Amino acid sequence: MSGGSTLKSTSPAVPRWARKSTLVLVIAALALAVFGTTTQTWLTVHLDPTQLGQAVNSQDGLQVQGSKAATTVTALALVALAGGLAASIAGRIARWIITAIILLAAAGIVSAAAIVQADPLAAAQGSIAAATGISGSNVQVDVTAFPALAVVAGALLGLSALAIVPAGRYWKARTKYDTAPTRAGAGTAAPAGSPDEIDSWDRLSRGDDPT
């Protein structure tokens, strides 16, 4: 009876939100969502016909993608994506560092997208100058829904990053430091089955012969 109670206390059920696959998938999906918004039109600039270049349609206006309106958002989304994937194989200390990196990336995404919403004309000046050769024009700029979506996705990305540290307590890292105590307590049950490549490398690094 005591053995059964000990087993239950040392093997708590993993909450759904704390599952490694779930959390990593959520972070990756949010990072990709942010990246996806930057491929869409964030701003539509309505220029005076006398200022239009030949490549600009006077009816549709000048379309400015998110990657041009807020260049940092694309890079930060990729950083967050890489961080989420790295968290799945990182150790305890590394997960703290990765969490901080993703949080900073999320904050940068939210800030950059919010700046575009607050001052769309300034964000469009580079594209206006490239299309017409004129900068500082007083034109009408319409903001699409994609900057707001980037803000929402960036905020959710930051919240998901905060869950990495508490969720990491339920994750089992396959390293010699994490698995050695388990083997010691397993007695003769540990050698059962053929070891995989990771186990063999861990034993070689300790000077043992896995054969």
Side-chain angles (χ1 to χ4, degrees):
M1 297 295 292
S2 60
S5 60
T6 303
L7 180 60
K8 291 181 180 180
S9 63
T10 56
S11 302
V14 180
R16 288 186 177 182
W17 66 268
R19 293 176 182 174
K20 182 187 296 186
S21 58
T22 300
L23 189 54
V24 171
L25 181 61
V26 168
I27 292 175
L30 289 172
L32 289 174
V34 173
F35 181 85
T37 64
T38 64
T39 65
Q40 304 301 313
T41 299
W42 280 28
L43 305 172
T44 302
V45 183
H46 301 284
L47 297 166
D48 189 288
T50 60
Q51 296 177 325
L52 293 175
Q54 294 182 354
V56 181
N57 190 311
S58 60
Q59 295 180 351
D60 297 335
L62 176 63
Q63 309 294 318
V64 182
Q65 287 185 334
S67 58
K68 297 180 180 179
T71 56
T72 58
V73 173
T74 301
L76 292 174
L78 294 177
V79 169
L81 175 61
L85 297 177
S88 64
I89 58 174
R92 183 179 302 176
I93 302 300
R95 282 197 293 266
W96 280 93
I97 299 173
I98 290 171
T99 298
I101 292 175
I102 299 178
L103 282 174
L104 290 175
I109 290 169
V110 172
S111 176
I115 289 174
V116 172
Q117 289 183 295
D119 193 355
L121 179 58
Q125 284 298 336
S127 297
I128 294 173
T132 66
I134 302 173
S135 60
S137 303
N138 185 15
V139 296
Q140 179 183 352
V141 182
D142 294 333
V143 183
T144 68
F146 289 104
L149 291 177
V151 170
V152 173
L156 293 176
L157 183 61
L159 293 176
S160 299
L162 288 175
I164 292 178
V165 174
R169 296 179 301 175
Y170 300 96
W171 298 355
K172 295 181 180 180
R174 298 193 61 181
T175 66
K176 62 182 180 180
Y177 303 105
D178 294 325
T179 58
T182 303
R183 290 179 180 177
T188 58
S194 58
D196 57 20
E197 295 181 0
I198 296 178
D199 294 330
S200 299
W201 279 111
D202 288 342
R203 294 180 63 182
L204 282 174
S205 64
R206 295 196 300 269
D208 298 336
D209 185 1
T211 61

